[in-house]
Amino acid sequence: MDLRIDMPLVLLLLLPLFLYFGWTYFHERQRLKRSHIVVLTIRIVAAGCLVFALAGPYLLLPIKEEQIVYLVDRSASMNGTEDEMVQFIQESLQSKKEPQLAGIYSFSSTLQTEAILSKTLKEVPKLTEIKATDQTNIEQSLQLASGIIDPKKATRLVLLTDGNETKGDALEFATKLKGSNISVDIKPFSQPVVNDVSLKSFVSPQVAYVGEQQQLVTDIHATSAGQGELLLYENDELIHREAVELTEGTNVFTYKYAATAEGLVKYEAVVQVGQDAIFENNKLTSVTMVQSEPHLLIVNGYETASPIAAALGSQSIAYDVVAPKSLPNELSSYLQYNAIIFDNVPGHLVGEAKMSVIEQAVKNFGVGFTMVGGENSFGLGGYFKTPIETLLPVEMEIKGKEQLPSLGLVIVLDRSGSMQGSKLELAKEAAARSVEMLRDEDTLGFIAFDDRPWEIIETGPLNSKEEAVDTILSVTPGGGTEIYSSLAKAYENLADLKLQRKHIILLTDGQSQAGNYEDLIGEGKEEGITLSTVAIGQDADANLLEALSDMGSGRFYDVIDEQTIPSILSRETAMISRTYIEDNPFYPAIYNAAGWNSLFANGVPQMNAYIGTTAKQGATVVAESEKEDPVLAQWQYGLGKTFAFTSDSTGKWTGDWARWQNWGAFWQTLISQMLPSYNDVAYDVRLEADGSFMITDPTNEAAFLDIVAVNEAGEELETQLETISASQVRAVVQAEPGLIFFRIADEKQAIYQAGLSVPYSAEYELLPVNNQLIEELTQRTGGTVLKEPQDVFRDFTTKGADRQNIATWLLLASMLLFFIDITIRRFGWNFLTNAKKKEPLVEEKTIPEDTNVAQLLKGMKKRS
């Protein structure tokens, strides 16, 4: 037991107190009785207790129990050492003493439990699978482990690691353990020496021009001599394959290549060998800005040749024409274009993942975008509430401009076990979007089925969209698949309703039991009910579902990419709930818009039809129909300029416009308006050794730059900016290894694009044990570098202790003594001690009273 005081300086208050009481005693000592000395002593003790209480005294009571926590490094750099580490722990556990607790935890980028702290741990359990092994975060493992243990007990954290941390700072955290009951021991382990070939660097020019000879330089490191193969790619297409002789150590290879792609071009180097220890370090990427004339991407939704390409002619801007299904997934593939046109492209052939990437290209990199109308475009294309609708200057909804037909919609959704995961979640999201497209007076039903139908929303008027959406999103998976009874229930619910349009949408990923579908659908058609079907995945009975949609006069969708499900349901709902196509010939009204009016100097041609939309607030309407619907609208979305042309490109809807002498000039003007304004200033973007990016502005206006970082999937990355000087900004980006794209814009919104490669983690390098960190970490925490397993449970130099605060007891003692003091002063010493003895009773003598005469005589004697 040990007495400690938190604030010893408070004890200096005792000095004036003792001086005061000493002076009082000396001054009054002649008159002090024994009781006075006792009271003075009580006051001195009470005041002393009060001062000691204020000083924060406490007792340290020893705790016999001790804690040993094993922290096992299972990051990629420790591959091949797991059995050795388990053996070490197992042997060390044989030396565990009775009052000691032991626990085992694994870590890489995060910490996970293998065996909780207990006195009964004697065997090492089978280690659980650890997923993220691309980082070693020793600091976090120490921090989390220190939160698991009881801080009152003596604790030893035993690290089994190579000491090569790639995230965090263990030494910085070690300073926080100083003065605690925690020490850190380390047992070093390292990967067995094996043959490994790794790409240390891959460099391409930051800026180049089309046709210019570029040098692609690769630096390959080999642990031993041998043969390998070097492959180089441009935008994922192989441009060079070469057999290479590798010597032990560094090997540098240079390949000269004339760029053919334009814009931000991705180059990739891959080295392959027969036997290789780590495959993750065999690939690196680099990005080059290849400058050239503007380049346009036309996405053609027609089965025939692109009408827009024909209208532009061969002497116009360079362009590529692709089908919707051929659209790429990576952001880099879009950044090689300056503008994109969707010509009658149905949304379900694109998918929302690609739409999100295109939205990022427009918003953050200034790529222009135009949607052109047709029977598969805008609302009819299923773009309601998609990223494409977000970037366009128009909304897909037609808001209250005409009397629309009454509608009944029943969605029949497969909720069987096979739909579990993203399929069901996307299907529910799609159903929710369909509900949002309906009017309050429309009729809705929702049936979720497994081996029987579950009527989640009874078919009836849509009273509350919000409630219906919440109900749909709450559906959970489970059970088998039985389609017929659920479909029959949907037909039954719609049959007797007096509605102008009645439609069923069936979504499933499975097979169905037999049923008399022909009679069911035939009777439904007599009641005006139509049916569309969606086959999700390869296990669905596509033949049956296609036949059902044919019989039901609806549409069939064979879905491979689950991301397209929302667009499909949006399209279906749009087609049955709205009269989108306006097909009465008219002359569009042209408003004063820069760059357009000269085209219509000699008049405006007649137009046959367009798709109804609603212009967004802030959009500029260039051409408008007689019903005040936008025919041509534009606005700024982020850094990109976007357009909506609601008529088509074939001449079927555009009518006289397609025969107009300025038809080609119209498309040329549209494209020129879309093109971004690029910055002539070449900003220098470099990856620093600490993983941050340094951006240098030669105009010394770095503080005014707008900087955004985006990955290959089109996701905007969390970025922290720090202005270093007038010409430099540091960007700390949370990015995984791979390509990262920077969009840099000045105050005038002029854009500069740059792409850099974030190399693979240092986990995938063959590094020796970091002895410097191991030595310093153990020294700072009072631990040691372990050699033998039994050393883990050696005697602790510091013992655990339980802190017992005694300030409260001292305060209570002081209060009690003060009460005793007050009692003595109020009632006297004898009252407190009961020392006063009772006096004996004295018998009173009876004195006869004087008579009146006697009293008179006594009075006379006194006067005489």
Side-chain angles (χ1 to χ4, degrees):
M1 187 171 66
D2 190 8
L3 176 64
R4 304 271 179 101
I5 294 176
D6 276 338
M7 296 179 289
L9 288 177
V10 176
L11 296 179
L12 292 175
L13 293 174
L14 292 173
L15 185 60
L17 284 174
F18 287 149
L19 288 173
Y20 168 74
F21 285 120
W23 177 84
T24 302
Y25 174 77
F26 181 79
H27 189 264
E28 301 290 338
R29 67 184 184 279
Q30 300 297 332
R31 294 188 295 173
L32 290 177
K33 298 180 180 179
R34 185 169 62 91
S35 61
H36 295 154
I37 294 174
V38 171
V39 169
L40 182 62
T41 304
I42 289 173
R43 291 181 181 179
I44 292 173
V45 175
C49 288
L50 183 61
V51 172
F52 269 103
L54 292 174
Y58 60 93
L59 294 174
L60 286 179
L61 304 177
I63 298 177
K64 291 183 179 180
E65 284 187 346
E66 299 166 337
Q67 302 171 121
I68 290 87
V69 178
Y70 294 95
L71 299 175
V72 185
D73 184 351
R74 297 176 63 197
S75 59
S77 65
M78 297 292 287
N79 283 343
T81 64
E82 186 172 306
D83 292 342
E84 191 179 352
M85 291 190 292
V86 168
Q87 181 66 28
F88 178 87
I89 298 173
Q90 188 63 53
E91 290 181 17
S92 67
L93 286 173
Q94 308 308 312
S95 305
K96 189 173 85 68
K97 303 176 184 68
E98 181 59 30
Q100 293 176 323
L101 293 84
I104 304 173
Y105 298 84
S106 293
F107 74 93
S108 53
S109 57
T110 57
L111 189 74
Q112 65 183 38
T113 305
E114 305 296 344
I116 61 172
L117 271 171
S118 71
K119 291 183 179 180
T120 58
L121 182 65
K122 295 181 179 179
E123 300 287 335
V124 181
K126 181 177 175 59
L127 300 183
T128 56
E129 181 183 357
I130 192 162
K131 294 181 179 178
T133 61
D134 60 340
Q135 298 287 350
T136 299
N137 196 333
I138 298 176
E139 178 191 6
Q140 187 188 63
S141 68
L142 294 175
Q143 184 177 11
L144 294 177
S146 62
I148 293 168
I149 52 94
D150 184 346
K152 298 175 183 177
K153 300 174 183 177
T155 303
R156 182 173 291 146
L157 303 180
V158 182
L159 269 170
L160 290 75
T161 180
D162 60 2
N164 291 310
E165 59 179 349
T166 59
K167 197 173 183 180
D169 190 339
L171 293 177
E172 181 181 347
F173 180 75
T175 59
K176 300 177 183 178
L177 298 179
K178 191 175 182 180
S180 70
N181 293 329
I182 302 174
S183 62
V184 179
D185 286 0
I186 301 179
K187 171 60 178 174
F189 287 89
S190 61
Q191 266 186 324
V193 178
V194 290
N195 292 331
D196 183 61
V197 173
S198 61
L199 268 169
K200 290 295 183 183
S201 71
F202 174 54
V203 180
S204 65
Q206 189 169 344
V207 179
Y209 294 89
V210 174
E212 178 188 1
Q213 288 285 329
Q214 305 178 54
Q215 286 193 339
L216 308 179
V217 182
T218 56
D219 181 353
I220 303 174
H221 185 270
T223 57
S224 59
Q227 293 183 334
E229 189 174 36
L230 177 63
L231 297 90
L232 300 177
Y233 295 85
E234 180 189 62
N235 286 338
D236 299 323
E237 291 187 7
L238 183 66
I239 58 174
H240 180 67
R241 182 191 294 266
E242 177 185 1
V244 292
E245 286 289 337
L246 300 174
T247 60
E248 183 177 347
T250 300
N251 301 265
V252 178
F253 299 95
T254 301
Y255 174 66
K256 291 184 178 180
Y257 175 70
T260 56
E262 302 169 3
L264 278 176
V265 178
K266 176 177 73 174
Y267 292 104
E268 186 174 79
V270 178
V271 61
Q272 297 177 346
V273 293
Q275 291 185 340
D276 199 11
I278 305 173
F279 295 105
E280 288 84 355
N281 60 18
N282 289 16
K283 180 172 69 174
L284 283 176
T285 54
S286 182
V287 180
T288 298
M289 169 59 81
V290 180
Q291 298 180 349
S292 64
E293 296 299 320
H295 203 173
L296 170 69
L297 176 65
I298 301 172
V299 186
N300 183 23
Y302 297 101
E303 295 182 0
T304 57
S306 168
I308 296 176
L312 289 173
S314 58
Q315 302 301 317
S316 65
I317 182 175
Y319 59 80
D320 292 333
V321 180
V322 300
K325 290 184 177 180
S326 302
L327 281 171
N329 296 303
E330 299 83 13
L331 180 62
S332 57
S333 299
Y334 294 100
L335 295 186
Q336 61 183 300
Y337 297 102
N338 306 97
I340 302 170
I341 296 178
F342 270 27
D343 188 10
N344 194 34
V345 176
H348 70 275
L349 295 183
V350 181
E352 296 210 14
K354 295 175 183 177
M355 292 186 197
S356 296
V357 176
I358 293 172
E359 187 216 0
Q360 283 295 328
V362 173
K363 178 182 178 182
N364 286 319
F365 294 91
V367 176
F369 185 88
T370 294
M371 177 171 281
V372 179
E375 294 177 350
N376 294 315
S377 191
F378 292 100
L380 293 179
Y383 289 98
F384 178 70
K385 283 208 167 183
T386 64
I388 295 296
E389 184 188 34
T390 303
L391 65 85
L392 285 175
V394 297
E395 295 177 354
M396 306 303 164
E397 282 275 54
I398 307 172
K399 296 186 176 177
K401 293 183 180 177
E402 59 181 80
Q403 184 64 38
L404 300 172
S406 56
L407 167 68
L409 173 66
V410 177
I411 300 173
V412 183
L413 174 64
D414 186 348
R415 64 171 288 267
S416 62
S418 60
M419 286 284 288
Q420 187 167 6
S422 60
K423 284 193 285 189
L424 182 60
E425 293 305 313
L426 285 166
K428 292 191 297 183
E429 172 64 26
R433 282 194 199 172
S434 294
V435 171
E436 291 176 0
M437 294 177 68
L438 300 175
R439 298 165 300 170
D440 292 338
E441 58 267 29
D442 286 335
T443 296
L444 173 70
F446 184 75
I447 298 172
F449 69 91
D450 40 39
D451 48 15
R452 53 160 290 186
W454 300 87
E455 198 163 7
I456 306 299
I457 298 176
E458 293 185 6
T459 304
L462 181 60
N463 297 320
S464 171
K465 288 186 182 181
E466 212 171 287
E467 185 178 335
V469 167
D470 290 342
T471 303
I472 290 170
L473 294 178
S474 66
V475 171
T476 56
T481 306
E482 207 290 291
I483 297 174
Y484 180 80
S485 58
S486 305
L487 198 57
K489 181 65 176 172
Y491 272 102
E492 178 188 340
N493 291 347
L494 283 174
D496 297 330
L497 298 179
K498 303 301 181 183
L499 300 168
Q500 292 171 287
R501 296 182 182 177
K502 294 182 277 189
H503 191 63
I504 299 171
I505 305 175
L506 168 65
L507 300 92
T508 179
D509 72 338
Q511 308 286 323
S512 174
Q513 298 177 1
N516 190 356
Y517 289 105
E518 285 191 34
D519 290 348
L520 175 66
I521 295 174
E523 292 171 6
K525 285 180 72 174
E526 293 177 3
E527 300 293 340
I529 303 173
T530 55
L531 169 67
S532 290
T533 58
V534 182
I536 305 173
Q538 296 179 345
D539 294 332
D541 192 343
N543 293 329
L544 170 65
L545 295 175
E546 187 172 10
L548 296 182
S549 64
D550 287 342
M551 287 187 285
S553 301
R555 288 151 296 279
F556 167 69
Y557 303 90
D558 191 1
V559 173
I560 302 300
D561 181 2
E562 299 156 11
Q563 295 285 336
T564 63
I565 297 173
S567 292
I568 290 172
L569 259 71
S570 293
R571 180 175 190 239
E572 278 296 302
T573 309
M575 293 182 75
I576 60 154
S577 63
R578 299 288 187 269
T579 307
Y580 273 89
I581 301 175
E582 298 287 347
D583 55 1
N584 294 316
F586 67 99
Y587 290 92
I590 306 297
Y591 294 97
N592 186 22
W596 291 102
N597 295 94
S598 60
L599 288 175
F600 304 98
N602 297 323
V604 181
Q606 188 181 53
M607 186 173 285
N608 292 338
Y610 65 94
I611 290 185
T613 59
T614 302
K616 291 180 181 176
Q617 187 174 4
T620 300
V621 177
V622 178
E624 191 176 72
S625 73
E626 294 173 342
K627 292 186 176 183
E628 299 183 347
D629 291 328
V631 174
L632 178 63
Q634 66 184 47
W635 78 339
Q636 186 84 24
Y637 181 72
L639 293 178
K641 300 169 187 174
T642 68
F643 292 77
F645 181 56
T646 58
S647 192
D648 73 348
S649 62
T650 64
K652 178 181 177 182
W653 289 5
T654 45
D656 290 345
W657 283 54
R659 296 180 288 274
W660 180 34
Q661 61 180 2
N662 287 335
W663 183 232
F666 170 81
W667 291 107
Q668 293 281 9
T669 303
L670 180 63
I671 292 167
S672 66
Q673 295 264 12
M674 277 197 293
L675 295 177
S677 172
Y678 287 113
N679 201 324
D680 293 332
V681 177
Y683 300 101
D684 184 53
V685 185
R686 296 184 184 276
L687 178 64
E688 300 289 288
D690 61 359
S692 65
F693 296 87
M694 189 65 71
I695 298 145
T696 303
D697 178 7
T699 65
N700 293 325
E701 295 184 354
F704 303 102
L705 297 178
D706 180 19
I707 300 170
V708 174
V710 181
N711 65 13
E712 267 279 69
E715 299 166 339
E716 194 168 321
L717 301 172
E718 183 181 344
T719 305
Q720 295 178 341
L721 300 176
E722 176 190 2
T723 303
I724 304 299
S725 65
S727 62
Q728 286 190 319
V729 175
R730 184 190 306 279
V732 179
V733 183
Q734 303 298 323
E736 299 294 328
L739 281 184
I740 180 173
F741 299 95
F742 281 95
R743 182 226 65 199
I744 305 170
D746 60 18
E747 290 181 299
K748 299 177 182 178
Q749 295 293 292
I751 308 160
Y752 179 80
Q753 299 176 2
L756 278 87
S757 174
V758 179
Y760 53 78
S761 169
E763 282 296 322
Y764 302 116
E765 298 181 18
L766 286 177
L767 299 174
V769 172
N770 189 345
N771 290 310
Q772 182 180 352
L773 180 138
I774 290 173
E775 290 287 346
E776 194 166 347
L777 183 56
T778 53
Q779 287 176 9
R780 289 191 186 185
T781 59
T784 188
V785 180
L786 298 169
K787 295 181 180 178
E788 300 298 331
Q790 56 268 26
D791 293 341
V792 172
F793 292 93
R794 69 189 184 281
D795 292 338
F796 281 74
T797 54
T798 58
K799 299 293 183 181
D802 189 11
R803 174 172 168 157
Q804 294 290 334
N805 196 319
I806 61 173
T808 303
W809 295 105
L810 289 171
L811 285 172
L812 289 173
S814 177
M815 291 175 62
L816 180 61
L817 290 170
F818 276 123
F819 276 118
I820 293 172
D821 176 31
I822 293 169
T823 303
I824 292 173
R825 287 189 289 109
R826 176 69 180 83
F827 298 104
W829 175 257
N830 291 337
F831 174 82
L832 183 67
T833 62
N834 291 323
K836 182 179 179 181
K837 297 180 180 179
K838 294 181 179 180
E839 295 183 3
L841 292 173
V842 179
E843 185 179 349
E844 294 183 1
K845 294 181 179 181
T846 304
I847 302 175
E849 290 186 11
D850 291 338
T851 62
N852 292 336
V853 175
Q855 291 176 359
L856 288 172
L857 290 173
K858 289 179 179 178
M860 289 173 65
K861 288 180 178 179
K862 289 179 179 179
R863 286 196 294 271
S864 62

